[in-house]
Structure formats: C-alpha cells, structure tokens
Amino acid sequence: MKKQVLVAVDRGETRVAILESEDAPQDNSPKGGRKAADWRVAEIYIERRGSRSIVGNIYKGKVDNVLPGLEAAFVDVGLDKNGFLHVDDIVMPGVQVQRRGRGGKGQSITELLKPGQEIMVQVVKDPLKTKGARLSMQISIAGRYLVYTPDGEGVGVSRRLEDKERERLKRQAAKIDLKGGGAIVRTAASGAKREDFEREIKYLHKLHEVLGQRVQETSAPAMVFQEADLSVRVVRDIFSEHFEQAIVDDPKQFQRLESFFERTAPELVERVERYEGDKPLFEKYGVEEAIQSTLRRRVDLPSGGYLMIDYTEALTVIDINSGSYTGRGKSARLEDTITKTNLEAADEVVRQLRLRDIGGIIVIDFIDMSRARNRDAVLKVLRKSLDEDRTKTYVM
C-alpha cells in the first residue's frame, strides 16, 4: 500500500492528512503519480494556533506538593494547572525508586521529592478539562530513526517491524555510541543503515547538550525544549519508503520540511512537493468531505448499509446495519447479503477509528452470520485493516 502526506496551512490552523492507495494505476503526468481520486483519506491531524499540543515539551519545574496517598506529586511547570507526576514516572540516575503498590526496596516518593525542589520533566499527556498535564522524568528526544533517552539503558527496537528486520536493526544500532544513554529504534527506521543511526545520534546528542545548557541557565518554572510543530512531527514519525510524497501548500512549511529532511534523510528531500494549484489542496483530494464525515453519527457504506457510531463515558459502540442493501439478483441469499455488508463495515470501521482518533474500549456489533467461514473472513478483514493503524489494538 502506498501513502502520501498533505499539509495545508491557513491563518488559524495547520492540518495534516495521511492518504493511502492500493496499487492503483499511475497517470501519465511527468511525476508519474496517482490521480487524486485514487487516494483515500486514512488519518487527519489538526493543530490550531493557541491550542497547540504540549506533548513532548520539556520543562524545568518546581515541585508544588507531594501526596504519598496517591504516590504522586504536583509540579508547577508554568502552565495554568500544575502537572501530575506519578511515582512510576520518576527516574533518578543511581537511585532505586519504590514503585506503585510494591513497598519494600527503593525510596518512597516523599524521600525523593520535596516541595520547592526543581526537577526536569517532560509532558506525556496534554491537559484535559480540569486535569493538568501528565508528566514524566524519563526524558526522551525523538529523531526520525531513533528516540534517545539520556537516562535509559541499551537499545530497543519497535515491535511493529518484522522479526528479521528487528534483529538486523538491533545489530546496526548496537554499534553506535550512546554516551551512557539508551535508544529506541523507531518503525520509520526500516531499511536504515549504521551510518543513518550515527548521523542521527550526533544530532540528538547536540540537542541534549543544548537542553542541559538551557536547564542550567533557566529559572523554574519554564519551558526549556519545545516539540516540533505538527507537520514536522507527523512526517518525522511516519514518513518512509512507503510514502510517495509530501505535498505542502504553504511556503514556510515547505521550507521547514525540506530543511528537516536535508538534516535527517537527504534521500527523501525530492519527495517534498510544493502545491500551487488553484483548487484548495484538501478539497482536491477529498479531505474536506472526510473531515465532515467524522462529525456525523451515521456513516454510509458503498452497498447501501451503514454504521452508527455512539460515544459513552466508558466505551464506543459501533452498530452495523444492512440498510437498503438487499443483495444482488433474484438468487441473492440472506447470508451473502449480511456477509458483504459486514466485510464493507469491517474496513470502514477501522478507517473511522483512525479518522476520529478513537481509543479505549470499542464494541462492534456486526450483523449475525451463521457460517463460521464468513465470520472468519470478516475478522480477517478487520485485522488486516488494523495492521495499517499505528495504534496497537487487541481484537477479542
């Protein structure tokens, strides 16, 4: 499956869409690309100015309060609400921490943290409603191929890669100098060589040195490192040889992505394209319609069936209905009609989960099928579609 990234920018927000296409025939344009109609919108990310995500940002914070009953501390990082730091997210070199509910060995949170103490923390979850940001003292600096953890140990490899490739990458990454830290090899590193890792770890070490200087020079509470903006984050995290191109409609974002690739993956620079068409980029590729579909409770299927998506506090429920689809021809059988509807629904359900960024417990109520082979076929389509999703999912 081929993919591409669209980046659209206006005065109020930046929007990024990931498009996917099966092995569709390519057109006869000079670039030999696929037609806009051949692409299907798979994921959408929106970042509005004034409400930018702070996940990944690093702060020099000041402990405000330590609550042994919650095994947690509240840390002032300069935001409207104090951040929440759980004992399981406390990392101090050379110090053994007493983990949640385990007692015994290690120091308790009241021994490790005191009100007024200055610590460096990273945001792992954005503030939500009345809750402040979730924090961690396990600092990580993300690159294209590696995530560098200054206080970590050894080299880990993404489990989304094939076993053979994981072993190869682990051998390549084991030879690089981590300067006492640790690293995680990302999914995007598939096919990478030792030279790629060495080039990137040098860049990440420089970022860590700059971070250390800022921490020394800055008074708490204050931000000392800001995560990259939306377009760079998405491209950094997912862009690989499976992506044909990144199309950008804004000159500043175009230059930013070009600069990023020149520094991290020079061989991919030529895949970044500046869009200058008369028709809005998202409209041309059908992204606007996909965005509108995420706001509706009902999602129609090609054959005439439809999904009904309902959200509750504890879970999301998706109901499949045959709708106006009654089968094909006079000899159509009920089992075949139901199976076709369920097969279409299995694929569309996963697409909607990705478009709407739905997580947690999800209950899918397929139409009952009497034959085991048909049930297996629907489950196979569901699992195959989920393989394209970067979020790990357990199907029961």
Side-chain angles (χ1 to χ4, degrees), residues 56-59 122 141 207 211 214 223-228:
N57 288 1
I58 299 175
Y59 295 84
Q122 187 168 32
I141 305 173
L207 284 182
L211 173 62
R214 288 180 181 174
M223 180 173 67
V224 292
F225 174 84
Q226 185 174 34
E227 177 62 296

Side-chain angles (χ1 to χ4, degrees), residues 24-309:
Q26 298 196 0
D27 63 26
N28 296 320
S29 66
K31 286 185 175 289
R34 291 166 171 77
K35 298 176 182 178
D38 294 330
W39 295 97
R40 189 169 89 154
V41 184
E43 297 177 28
I44 299 170
Y45 303 90
I46 300 174
E47 187 171 81
R48 293 183 175 88
R49 291 179 187 175
S51 59
R52 177 174 171 173
S53 171
I54 62 171
V55 171
N57 288 1
I58 299 175
Y59 295 84
K60 184 176 183 180
K62 185 178 290 187
V63 178
D64 184 56
N65 196 11
V66 180
L67 303 176
L70 292 178
E71 295 185 318
F74 287 95
V75 183
D76 180 8
V77 293
L79 301 175
D80 293 339
K81 295 182 178 68
N82 286 345
F84 179 83
L85 176 66
H86 194 270
V87 67
D88 287 348
D89 297 312
I90 296 176
V91 176
M92 294 182 175
V95 177
Q96 187 173 5
V97 181
Q98 193 178 95
R99 299 302 178 187
R100 172 170 45 185
R102 295 176 192 170
K105 296 181 180 180
Q107 298 184 42
S108 67
I109 190 169
T110 53
E111 295 174 302
L112 295 169
L113 300 179
K114 306 291 182 184
Q117 182 178 342
E118 294 184 352
I119 56 175
M120 185 165 62
V121 291
Q122 187 168 32
V123 176
V124 295
K125 189 174 182 180
D126 280 315
L128 180 63
K129 297 180 181 179
T130 59
K131 297 180 179 179
R134 180 73 183 258
L135 307 175
S136 173
M137 290 178 68
Q138 177 69 66
I139 305 300
S140 63
I141 305 173
R144 173 166 168 71
Y145 300 125
L146 299 170
V147 176
Y148 174 55
T149 53
D151 296 324
E153 294 180 358
V155 176
V157 183
S158 168
R159 293 186 178 276
R160 291 187 64 84
L161 294 165
E162 297 290 338
D163 290 343
K164 187 175 181 180
E165 178 65 2
R166 289 183 74 240
E167 288 300 319
R168 187 191 71 82
L169 290 172
K170 195 165 187 177
R171 288 196 300 270
Q172 294 291 322
K175 301 173 184 177
I176 62 176
D177 181 13
L178 295 174
K179 295 186 178 179
I184 300 169
V185 180
R186 313 187 69 174
T187 307
S190 178
K193 300 176 182 178
R194 178 181 174 182
E195 299 77 40
D196 298 318
F197 293 139
E198 289 177 339
R199 179 181 64 215
E200 181 154 287
I201 200 65
K202 288 179 182 177
Y203 168 67
L204 295 177
H205 281 152
K206 286 181 181 178
L207 284 182
H208 184 236
E209 289 174 10
V210 172
L211 173 62
Q213 292 174 0
R214 288 180 181 174
V215 170
Q216 294 294 327
E217 298 167 358
T218 306
S219 299
M223 180 173 67
V224 292
F225 174 84
Q226 185 174 34
E227 177 62 296
D229 61 17
L230 179 65
S231 61
V232 174
R233 286 201 312 273
V234 172
V235 169
R236 178 194 67 195
D237 293 349
I238 68 170
F239 207 82
S240 65
E241 72 276 2
H242 298 296
F243 282 79
E244 291 192 345
Q245 57 189 161
I247 306 175
V248 190
D249 71 356
D250 179 73
K252 289 184 179 179
Q253 285 291 341
F254 175 72
Q255 291 174 1
R256 198 168 293 165
L257 289 180
E258 265 200 330
S259 174
F260 171 75
F261 280 125
E262 285 172 355
R263 188 174 62 246
T264 61
E267 70 279 5
L268 296 178
V269 171
E270 62 182 18
R271 299 195 189 187
V272 183
E273 178 185 329
R274 171 85 163 90
Y275 180 73
E276 297 177 336
D278 295 329
K279 196 173 186 179
L281 179 60
F282 270 31
E283 188 177 328
K284 178 180 178 180
Y285 284 88
V287 182
E288 295 292 356
E289 174 57 31
I291 292 174
Q292 290 303 313
S293 78
T294 65
L295 305 177
R296 295 192 287 264
R297 180 176 175 238
R298 171 171 167 158
V299 179
D300 292 323
L301 300 173
S303 66
Y306 60 92
L307 314 178
M308 296 298 288
I309 303 176

